[in-house]
Amino acid sequence: MFEAASSPGQNRRPLPPAQQPADGVPGPRTPTSAREPRPKADRPGKQRDSFFDNAKYLAIVLVAMGHSWEPLKGDSRILEGVYTVVYAFHMPAFIIISGFFSRSFDMRPDRLKRLITGVAVPYVLFETAYPLFKNAVTGSHEEISLLDPWYLTWFLVALFVWRLTTPVWKLVRWPLPVALGVAMLATVSPSIGDDLDLQRVLQFLPYFVLGLCMRPEHFHLVRRRWVRVVSVPVFATALAVGWWAVPRMNTAWFYHRDSAQELGAPWWCGPVMTLAMMGCSLVLTACFFAWVPRRRMWFTALGAGTLYGYLLHGFLVKFADYRGWFEHPWLHRPLGEILVTLLAGAVVTVLCTAPVRRVFRFAMEPRMEWAFRQDAAVLARERQRPRETAGV
């Protein structure tokens, strides 16, 4: 959910897939045939598309709001219906974008370093920090386990696995059907267990693979005016169905963390629900993308800091939960629920800002040059550069 801003040209043609920069990975160099100097904002590999930054920011706001609703939704059928609809598409949307920006990932050393420092190291740090935080606030004795993702950290495990297997999915002839088959098999395999939250890793896998298979023009299809118009009744219908389904459906299906048997359903419900929920999720995700602004907005730059907002807002939600703040009766009324929703959106917005990112960059994006072997060719180029500058 979320990675490491932004100056798109609204009317500028999108970069072809081979040149689109991966999220957090430097883009390719300008071809040597293009010798004319360009402004910085026009250089491929340097620009960011406002649409994707806007989508990531709006998705992370929905994530934070959804987490703030969890302690309140039991007393409001309307809120639980909205919660169900949001959970049907907010993580799929985020995962599809993550897959789209992982298309250029390969086993090149610099990209592997980025995967380690930007995903694996934050996982270790936050998987350690969350239990220690709970122990400090509640006086409990929560154990630290790197094999059992705690609260939000499952996404880092999933992203690490998904991105590491990207070359495999680019090699397979029919990657999406294969990934969907893996997800369906996972839903009938309770023996997978809780290690590294592999159920979620496997059940959300098709959305990541779908993002790998997508091209920029696919996102243009859902940004047409008629799609935006149609999305209004679609969302209205989804909210009505969500309200109707509250007493009739187990919300845990949307978490994708359990097999069908663990949810008390026959085994064959797992594959059926996988297909049905993916269909619903993709429809709602397309409607969500249809309403994401294409131009630069006041929140566009925040899209580069969504991983910060994702991992940090969990401490605040858990702190409020540990202190019993969600138990106040007035918060379980409509005005209280609206206030909690607005506060969640405001807090995660602040956590995505540049000052917060500077403070926590040591944990989210550590450089860690000391931990890796230096490439001899890179060191040679760096040594040669001062000599060329001096005219040697």
Side-chain angles (χ1 to χ4, degrees):
M1 99 239 127
F2 322 81
E3 293 160 88
S6 309
S7 64
Q10 182 179 350
N11 300 318
R12 189 176 296 138
R13 294 177 59 190
L15 295 173
Q19 291 185 341
Q20 185 76 24
D23 206 11
V25 178
R29 294 186 178 187
T30 305
T32 54
S33 59
R35 296 296 183 185
E36 308 85 16
R38 291 183 177 184
K40 289 185 179 181
D42 294 335
R43 294 176 186 168
K46 294 293 184 181
Q47 70 183 49
R48 293 178 66 103
D49 190 325
S50 288
F51 170 79
F52 293 107
D53 278 335
N54 292 338
K56 290 200 299 178
Y57 166 76
L58 294 174
I60 203 62
V61 168
L62 290 175
V63 169
M65 289 179 175
H67 289 152
S68 71
W69 293 338
E70 286 179 6
L72 307 176
K73 64 184 179 67
D75 296 326
S76 172
R77 185 171 176 177
I78 294 177
L79 183 62
E80 187 158 2
V82 174
Y83 174 90
T84 301
V85 173
V86 168
Y87 263 72
F89 75 89
H90 72 331
M91 284 308 299
F94 209 99
I95 294 169
I96 288 172
I97 295 175
S98 297
F100 179 75
F101 282 106
S102 297
R103 292 170 304 155
S104 63
F105 182 84
D106 51 29
M107 294 301 175
R108 211 171 71 186
D110 62 326
R111 288 175 176 160
L112 286 174
K113 291 177 184 177
R114 175 72 187 197
L115 182 63
I116 293 171
T117 59
V119 180
V121 172
Y123 170 74
V124 172
L125 293 177
F126 280 86
E127 182 66 8
T128 302
Y130 269 117
L132 293 179
F133 176 76
K134 180 179 181 180
N135 294 341
V137 175
T138 65
S140 59
H141 300 282
E142 188 83 19
E143 294 184 353
I144 297 173
S145 173
L146 297 182
L147 295 179
D148 188 12
W150 207 84
Y151 196 35
L152 304 176
T153 56
W154 72 268
F155 181 77
L156 295 177
V157 173
L159 186 60
F160 186 87
V161 174
W162 295 334
R163 189 163 285 179
L164 199 61
T165 59
T166 293
V168 175
W169 298 112
K170 291 195 289 188
L171 182 66
V172 174
R173 177 169 295 183
W174 299 291
L176 187 57
V178 172
L180 193 56
V182 170
M184 294 167 69
L185 287 174
T187 62
V188 298
S189 306
S191 60
I192 288 178
D194 297 327
D195 288 350
L196 297 178
D197 226 342
L198 284 180
Q199 279 287 0
R200 272 177 166 167
V201 174
L202 298 178
Q203 290 190 37
F204 275 117
L205 174 64
Y207 300 101
F208 182 82
V209 175
L210 175 61
L212 288 175
C213 298
M214 294 182 71
R215 298 189 297 273
E217 50 266 32
H218 293 142
F219 289 94
H220 290 292
L221 294 177
V222 300
R223 288 152 63 178
R224 297 178 178 180
R225 182 179 180 82
W226 71 267
V227 180
R228 198 176 306 128
V229 172
V230 169
S231 66
V232 176
V234 169
F235 265 121
T237 303
L239 290 171
V241 173
W243 179 88
W244 173 85
V246 167
R248 298 174 174 84
M249 180 179 176
N250 189 346
T251 309
W253 282 105
F254 294 95
Y255 302 150
H256 296 280
R257 67 186 179 196
D258 299 299
S259 65
Q261 295 93 321
E262 291 171 308
L263 294 176
W267 69 267
W268 55 264
C269 285
V272 172
M273 288 296 290
T274 298
L275 294 174
M277 293 184 63
M278 187 168 186
C280 294
S281 296
L282 292 183
V283 170
L284 293 177
T285 299
C287 294
F288 168 71
F289 284 149
W291 280 96
V292 172
R294 311 179 199 179
R295 64 184 185 278
R296 184 175 177 81
M297 307 290 289
W298 64 267
F299 53 80
T300 300
L302 302 179
T306 49
L307 183 60
Y308 290 78
Y310 176 76
L311 290 175
L312 293 174
H313 88 275
F315 289 102
L316 301 178
V317 173
K318 285 298 182 182
F319 182 82
D321 190 23
Y322 296 152
R323 292 298 186 186
W325 293 354
F326 289 111
E327 297 175 6
H328 291 287
W330 65 274
L331 288 180
H332 293 255
R333 299 168 186 163
L335 288 179
E337 294 165 356
I338 293 173
L339 176 62
V340 169
T341 302
L342 295 177
L343 283 176
V347 166
V348 78
T349 297
V350 172
L351 295 177
C352 293
T353 58
V356 174
R357 285 155 53 191
R358 282 195 294 270
V359 171
F360 290 97
R361 184 164 287 132
F362 75 94
M364 306 286 197
E365 302 175 83
R367 297 183 61 85
M368 296 183 62
E369 298 295 338
W370 54 269
F372 302 102
R373 295 180 179 178
Q374 297 297 314
D375 186 273
V378 173
L379 291 175
R381 285 196 298 268
E382 290 178 352
R383 285 195 297 267
Q384 183 67 19
R385 197 170 297 134
R387 293 168 59 86
E388 293 173 350
T389 302
V392 176

